Amino acid sequence: MSAGRSAMRMGPAELVQAAAMARRFYLEGKSKIQIAEEFGVSRFKVARVLETALERDLVRIEIRVPAELDAERSDALRARYGLRHAVVVESPADADDSPDPENLGEVAADLLGELVTEGDVLGLAWGRSTIHTATALHTLPPCTVVQLTGVYDAGTAERGSVEAVRRAAQVSGGEAHPIYAPMLLPDPATAAALRGQTGIARAFDYFDKVTVAAVSIGSWEPGISTVHDMLSDKEREHYASLGVAAEMSAHLFDAQGRRVGRDLGERCITVEADRLRRIPEVVAIAGGQRKAAAIDAVLRSGLVTSLVTDTAAADHLLTAEPLPLPALDRADPDGS
């Protein structure tokens, strides 16, 4: 607290009393009723004194968050999309146009530490950002951790989502349920056979119990979408012709958030869109200007409740067309 020039226009008795009341309220955490009883005045008088103290610069309030967080953009983004949580991280000064800076994973790890409670089931989908998040985890309440998708390449599972699930379970002290299978299979029959295998079926049984999920988002271009990179040129052209603008957990979306190319899901080892929509808290972790339009599309789908992104993506999202429904209304992306 500091006394500015405007505050000196108050009389000395008023100034001393206002300073004392402000100290009780702002520093000692006393209620207005407690302060009123102490000074022998009404609580309405206390409220007026505190208001005057602010107006006349007797009290200055600073709101500080860590330098890497942009509180103003975060709140604006949360309100614009009707999200439960939106956390915007400053894009690194030396960042190029690559998506998903690693610092997103660090902030997302802290957010999961806030959201996950003891006894929850945490779901992790494949993605670079979710792998960065799991690597950055330092603390989690005791919880079960389940993998929500197969991996991009089963041969790299030890360095990918399987290891991310193990890492999260190790931090929490809970059970791990990884999926040792590729995300995309050659045909629906092979995918169905794998889903019936004991270990994979056990993980799928947990999908309806997931309370918090972390997912990645990809835009429909090479190197930015796992699914795009796994398909043949002919398949990419086919799905592009359907208007795909984004993918998340092997589900494809057009620019308005409607799911397209649903036949692809029959070949994939992944959590179904309807199950994903029923998870109480789904945190998407994605950033970079190149992913901005894809993030917008997925936020419109009704499958995501919270977002961790960066300023490069947020600036685009804050100028996007208004949403027809808030994200928390959990619209059905398969509906009309």
Side-chain angles (χ1 to χ4, degrees):
M1 285 183 288
S2 61
R5 292 181 180 177
S6 58
M8 297 306 294
R9 290 196 291 266
M10 299 173 70
E14 292 177 310
L15 184 61
V16 170
Q17 184 184 66
M21 288 184 176
R23 180 173 295 278
R24 302 291 194 279
F25 187 73
Y26 291 107
L27 299 184
E28 298 175 12
K30 291 188 176 181
S31 70
K32 293 174 184 176
I33 293 176
Q34 290 174 314
I35 297 170
E37 291 175 352
E38 179 182 348
F39 286 88
V41 298
S42 71
R43 62 185 177 90
F44 302 105
K45 172 67 179 294
V46 174
R48 286 196 300 272
V49 170
L50 293 175
E51 184 178 350
T52 300
L54 285 171
E55 290 174 350
R56 298 191 178 183
D57 204 26
L58 177 64
V59 173
R60 294 176 184 173
I61 297 176
E62 290 185 281
I63 299 173
R64 294 182 178 180
V65 294
E68 69 270 16
L69 300 183
D70 191 312
E72 187 175 347
R73 283 186 176 92
S74 297
D75 188 54
L77 200 58
R78 179 200 56 77
R80 183 174 185 84
Y81 283 89
L83 296 163
R84 183 171 291 119
H85 304 285
V87 182
V88 177
V89 181
E90 289 284 349
S91 300
D94 58 350
D96 53 19
D97 203 22
S98 60
D100 299 341
E102 288 195 24
N103 61 339
L104 289 186
E106 297 170 3
V107 174
D110 289 341
L111 179 61
L112 290 182
E114 285 186 65
L115 299 179
V116 176
T117 60
E118 184 172 352
D120 275 348
V121 176
L122 171 63
L124 297 178
W126 194 97
R128 296 179 187 89
S129 59
T130 50
I131 291 171
H132 291 158
T133 298
T135 301
L137 284 170
H138 296 294
T139 180
L140 274 179
C143 65
T144 299
V145 185
V146 61
Q147 193 170 323
L148 296 178
T149 66
V151 298
Y152 174 43
D153 181 350
T156 63
E158 292 301 316
R159 302 191 304 273
S161 50
V162 169
E163 182 57 32
V165 169
R166 287 175 173 167
R167 163 70 181 165
Q170 181 183 31
V171 171
S172 73
E175 295 181 0
H177 293 277
I179 293 178
Y180 296 96
M183 182 186 294
L184 180 66
L185 281 304
D187 53 71
T190 304
L194 276 178
R195 290 190 204 104
Q197 290 187 357
T198 303
I200 297 174
R202 186 180 300 116
F204 268 66
D205 286 342
Y206 271 93
F207 287 177
D208 287 329
K209 303 173 186 176
V210 173
T211 49
V212 180
V215 300
S216 297
I217 295 173
S219 55
W220 198 246
E221 57 180 305
I224 313 295
S225 163
T226 300
V227 173
H228 182 282
D229 292 345
M230 288 190 290
L231 296 173
S232 66
D233 289 342
K234 184 176 181 180
E235 289 171 325
R236 291 173 192 145
E237 291 175 5
H238 165 66
Y239 291 116
S241 71
L242 301 180
V244 59
E247 64 96 354
M248 178 181 68
S249 303
H251 301 295
L252 309 181
F253 305 89
D254 67 13
Q256 297 304 313
R258 294 181 293 256
R259 212 153 64 93
V260 295
R262 280 172 261 175
D263 61 304
L264 183 66
E266 298 175 5
R267 296 169 50 195
C268 292
I269 303 297
T270 186
V271 59
E272 299 94 327
D274 192 53
R275 277 175 151 177
L276 196 59
R277 185 162 58 95
R278 294 197 298 269
I279 296 174
E281 184 73 80
V282 179
V283 180
I285 310 157
Q289 189 172 359
R290 291 175 66 185
K291 278 195 176 182
I295 297 169
D296 175 63
V298 171
L299 291 181
R300 293 170 182 269
S301 73
L303 298 181
V304 168
T305 61
S306 298
L307 174 69
V308 177
T309 190
D310 64 355
T311 52
D315 285 342
H316 173 90
L317 294 170
L318 290 172
T319 59
E321 293 182 2
L323 290 174
L325 289 172
L328 290 179
D329 281 3
R330 311 304 293 273
D332 185 353
D334 294 338
S336 56

